[in-house]
Amino acid sequence: MTEQEKGPASNFIAAIVSADIRANKNDGKVMTRFPPEPNGYLHIGHAKSICLNFGLAQDFNGVCNLRFDDTNPTKEEQQYIDSIKEDVRWLGFDWRDRLYFASDYFEKFYEFAVYLIKKGKAYVDSLSADEIREYRGTLTRPGRESTYRQRSVEENLDLFERMKQGEFPDGTHVLRAKINMASGNLNMRDPVMYRILHASHHRTGNTWCIYPMYDFAHGQSDAIEGITHSICTLEFEDHRPLYDWFIDELELACHPQQIEFARLNLTYTIMSKRKLVRLVAEGHVQDWDDPRLPTISGLRRRGFTPEAIRDFCGRIGVAKKDSTVDMALLEHCLREDLNKRAPRVMAVLKPLKVVLENYPEGQVEELDAVNNPEDPAAGSRKVPFARELYIEQDDFMEEPVKKFFRLAPGREVRLRYGYFITCTGIKKDDATGEILELRCTYDPATRGGNAPDGRKVKATLHWVSAQHSLPAEVRLYSHLFTRENPAAAEEGEDFTTYINPESLEILSGCRLEPNLADARPESIYQFERLGYFCADRHDCTGGRLVFNRSVTLRDAWTKIKKKA
RNA sequence: UGGGGCGUCGUCAAGCGGUAAGACACAGGUUUUUGGUGCCUGCAUUCGGAGGUUCGAAUCCUCCCGCCCCAGCCA
């Protein structure tokens, strides 16, 4: 069942939207928006918001805008705009011609500000940043009014105009809303609306040297665009009274409804932009698209599909409770998607040579292998079989423990789509005792993997032909952190303490079946019995074969081993 | 000690006065040329706690407890 067939999501926000439509609020129309600040890369938490906003629009016959909240030129960059657009598109969402920028509305915001000044609802404050903080009071004590709060409308108008003209250096004045310095909600204690920033903006250049704060830009942007439901995360709940206050005082025709939901947390990773920046900047990971990161580009490079991510976002639900979703659910969604789509292929990650003593030298057979047992339409392929093969080191034990039913001395197993083989000998390095190769015999009657006499074997192993297989590099990824909640650091430690030193294992001597010779970057395969692997979008080029492990297959044997 | 939220299975999450959905995880079984997949079974006499209202409460009322967010000229 695809996510489309599962029907509209049911969550408290969908319920609100649905009720609004029934009541014919907003003439029954729905318009949402995804409003990222272009100061970093999108991560799986943003995907939740994207799926919610675009999904609501889809489910209720509305539209969803992509709007960049670019009101702080000191932090925002074009490269982030590009990556965000690419990621949203890759996730499968289309904003059509509705690409907006808060900076498109700077002129309007300025007029709004002037309007509020004239109305006596805004004033220029000339306190220093430190003084403003001090005057604001504390959580339990009310603030004090600024000595500049009573400036005349004329003086405020004059000062604000001169702020705009660039007469004053950064930090000398701000425009503030005149609300209530005694409010229990600190956001209502005369919040700053504009600050002076002599900085070049990535879109407006040097046109402005005053920039609106989030609170004086977001709601108005929503109202200008005609947004009906403005969905954001819980930490903005305290801002809602201010969101409403500005729109009311500005007497705007459209008054979107702000609704808050809990942001996504995932076990064994971190979602905070600040911490992600540190991981990248301090070199704990390669870059923003490091496959260990929960960034959209990292997940993509890891081999996650848009379908799996969308399915995940649909399953986790939307609510107001702080929660941490099990990473295992994300992995489950990927396995489920890939199980039905990924072509199967054989790859040996840690090769152990096998010589079939009774197989004719120089003989090569092309054996039929099913491409995907879950999808008959995927057809089959030929895989070369020869006297010398590689199997996985983990598939042999000289002294097998109980419940290990793979290859061992004297034991017979099946080579997938190949023959039954029996281990007859071990060649070791005399000095180190290291196993160099296995001597085996094969049963010619079992070609394809079936024994005419009906005898059974307990294991089927994957393999590749030694001479035909292709060398490859395979990167094995696991959790970036050793703790479920790395953000909750103990005394004297921070989250980097819990970085998993084994989150990346690079295997360079891997052997792939020859059909993988022209694997395209980003193509995903199931390496039988091992997991799903994705050709690296950057490094799997120019004849070099480089694969990233997206996720392992569920593995009963590892569990048995751990219990023992 | 101010303001705003939230507390239903290990983790998410339905439920909205009529007697606790579902998913992941976990545990068994079964099928199987992937110890994969599929299929079957088990997994909250109880909804943070205590009172109360009611024939009946996770749902309504009261009090208590716990957790999260807010003192950027960040978003």
Side-chain angles (χ1 to χ4, degrees):
Chain A
M1 190 145 70
T2 71
E3 72 227 83
Q4 277 77 18
E5 289 166 323
K6 284 174 186 162
S10 104
N11 57 60
F12 81 100
I13 297 179
I16 291 171
V17 174
S18 181
D20 287 347
I21 291 173
R22 259 180 280 120
N24 205 41
K25 189 176 173 186
N26 308 305
D27 297 321
K29 297 235 181 334
V30 173
M31 186 186 284
T32 55
R33 100 270 91 114
F34 173 61
E37 182 189 11
N39 71 340
Y41 282 66
L42 259 29
H43 54 62
I44 184 79
H46 294 108
K48 177 182 181 182
S49 173
I50 292 166
C51 289
L52 215 209
N53 280 292
F54 279 90
L56 246 17
Q58 270 165 21
D59 292 346
F60 293 104
N61 239 296
V63 293
C64 180
N65 298 349
L66 173 61
R67 181 176 70 234
F68 287 95
D69 225 331
D70 56 349
T71 57
N72 186 350
T74 65
K75 293 188 171 177
E76 296 149 8
E77 294 174 25
Q78 184 61 40
Q79 70 155 129
Y80 295 125
I81 292 177
D82 297 338
S83 76
I84 289 169
K85 284 161 74 177
E86 183 182 2
D87 288 346
V88 174
R89 226 180 270 121
W90 178 79
L91 274 173
F93 297 101
D94 184 1
W95 56 87
R96 309 248 200 158
D97 57 346
R98 292 181 311 283
L99 171 64
Y100 301 114
F101 294 83
S103 55
D104 289 344
Y105 313 134
F106 280 176
E107 194 64 49
K108 276 219 170 73
F109 295 157
Y110 181 78
E111 289 165 16
F112 287 158
V114 169
Y115 182 78
L116 289 184
I117 292 172
K118 287 179 177 167
K119 211 176 161 181
K121 298 288 188 177
Y123 63 98
V124 172
D125 196 354
S126 306
L127 253 28
S128 69
D130 285 343
E131 289 167 325
I132 286 181
R133 187 184 315 121
E134 189 199 324
Y135 275 57
R136 186 153 32 226
T138 68
L139 292 179
T140 52
R141 256 195 295 279
R144 289 142 54 204
E145 294 184 354
S146 166
T147 45
Y148 301 98
R149 200 176 197 256
Q150 298 309 328
R151 287 217 255 233
S152 68
V153 168
E154 292 66 33
E155 188 182 4
N156 283 323
L157 248 20
D158 174 62
L159 251 18
F160 188 50
E161 168 68 17
R162 288 161 62 195
M163 281 168 64
K164 182 194 179 197
Q165 293 309 325
E167 280 191 33
F168 310 116
D170 290 3
T172 49
H173 308 278
V174 291
L175 184 70
R176 292 231 251 170
K178 191 184 287 188
I179 307 181
N180 176 11
M181 291 304 293
S183 172
N185 181 345
L186 302 229
N187 294 116
M188 301 300 271
R189 319 241 265 227
D190 289 12
V192 172
M193 296 161 59
Y194 267 95
R195 75 285 217 190
I196 299 171
L197 245 32
H198 289 272
S200 180
H201 186 278
H202 61 100
R203 300 196 90 231
T204 60
N206 296 313
T207 307
W208 298 89
C209 62
I210 55 173
Y211 292 90
M213 299 288 290
Y214 164 84
D215 287 305
F216 195 64
H218 198 90
Q220 286 84 300
S221 300
D222 285 342
I224 288 168
E225 291 171 19
I227 299 299
T228 57
H229 303 271
S230 178
I231 299 163
C232 61
T233 44
L234 252 28
E235 68 271 25
F236 291 101
E237 209 147 19
D238 286 342
H239 292 244
R240 189 170 6 128
L242 183 53
Y243 181 103
D244 291 333
W245 190 89
F246 278 131
I247 291 175
D248 287 341
E249 291 297 336
L250 255 13
E251 293 151 59
L252 301 181
C254 169
H255 193 139
Q257 178 183 5
Q258 177 176 305
I259 306 170
E260 311 83 11
F261 71 97
R263 59 180 342 137
L264 170 67
N265 294 296
L266 259 186
T267 56
Y268 298 106
T269 191
I270 43 110
M271 222 66 94
S272 118
K273 239 183 222 180
R274 207 197 103 254
K275 291 191 173 76
L276 288 171
V277 170
R278 273 193 61 194
L279 289 177
V280 174
E282 293 173 13
H284 296 110
V285 296
Q286 315 293 108
D287 203 346
W288 283 100
D289 68 349
D290 188 295
R292 289 167 291 185
L293 255 20
T295 51
I296 302 300
S297 53
L299 291 168
R300 175 180 179 176
R301 195 171 172 193
R302 174 80 169 253
F304 274 78
T305 59
E307 289 82 355
I309 293 173
R310 278 187 261 132
D311 182 35
F312 171 76
C313 291
R315 288 185 194 229
I316 56 178
V318 179
K320 298 192 70 160
K321 183 173 67 171
D322 288 314
S323 64
T324 302
V325 175
D326 196 334
M327 180 70 88
L329 180 60
L330 216 208
E331 294 175 345
H332 167 82
C333 292
L334 212 219
R335 285 192 191 102
E336 191 172 79
D337 182 38
L338 262 21
N339 176 51
K340 63 185 190 234
R341 308 200 307 184
R344 311 277 119 144
V345 100
M346 292 195 283
V348 174
L349 268 28
K350 294 177 182 169
L352 172 60
K353 181 173 272 189
V354 168
V355 177
L356 302 179
E357 295 184 307
N358 60 337
Y359 194 89
E361 302 236 19
Q363 176 174 308
V364 176
E365 292 179 88
E366 293 290 327
L367 302 173
D368 289 309
V370 172
N371 285 332
N372 186 348
E374 306 297 315
D375 176 17
S380 64
R381 66 187 188 285
K382 300 284 189 187
V383 184
F385 187 90
R387 188 170 192 269
E388 297 198 349
L389 310 168
Y390 290 119
I391 65 167
E392 209 69 62
Q393 287 171 19
D394 286 349
D395 285 339
F396 176 80
M397 277 188 108
E398 185 172 7
E399 291 167 21
V401 297
K402 62 206 171 305
K403 288 190 177 171
F404 178 89
F405 45 80
R406 276 113 92 146
L407 197 60
R411 198 124 101 188
E412 182 175 53
V413 297
R414 168 169 40 234
L415 294 182
R416 182 144 226 222
Y417 304 124
Y419 293 93
F420 282 16
I421 63 168
T422 302
C423 178
T424 55
I426 305 174
K427 251 175 94 170
K428 290 186 183 177
D429 182 306
D430 291 333
T432 66
E434 182 196 356
I435 298 175
L436 298 176
E437 72 176 42
L438 264 26
R439 311 296 289 190
C440 297
T441 56
Y442 85 112
D443 177 355
T446 58
R447 190 179 202 269
N450 290 303
D453 63 1
R455 76 180 189 277
K456 304 283 187 213
V457 288
K458 293 198 75 176
T460 300
L461 311 186
H462 61 276
W463 53 274
V464 294
S465 158
Q467 60 171 301
H468 303 278
S469 62
L470 276 12
E473 173 178 317
V474 174
R475 300 161 181 171
L476 267 23
Y477 295 101
S478 44
H479 296 156
L480 219 207
F481 293 95
T482 54
R483 296 210 173 181
E484 282 201 7
N485 182 6
E490 285 161 31
E491 287 280 320
E493 300 179 327
D494 78 341
F495 73 103
T496 57
T497 311
Y498 313 126
I499 289 177
N500 177 8
E502 294 167 2
S503 61
L504 167 60
E505 184 184 357
I506 299 175
L507 266 24
S508 54
C510 310
R511 310 292 302 189
L512 313 181
E513 69 169 64
N515 295 303
L516 248 18
D518 38 40
R520 306 313 311 156
E522 292 206 277
S523 55
I524 304 172
Y525 298 88
Q526 184 195 103
F527 289 0
E528 292 223 30
R529 302 210 302 133
L530 297 173
Y532 296 96
F533 293 76
C534 177
D536 191 85
R537 59 190 292 218
H538 301 318
D539 303 330
C540 192
T541 55
R544 202 154 86 94
L545 290 168
V546 181
F547 283 84
N548 301 321
R549 184 174 67 195
S550 311
V551 65
T552 61
L553 251 28
R554 287 185 71 228
D555 179 7
W557 169 236
T558 300
K559 280 183 192 171
I560 293 168
K561 267 195 301 188
K562 276 180 189 161
K563 271 192 218 168

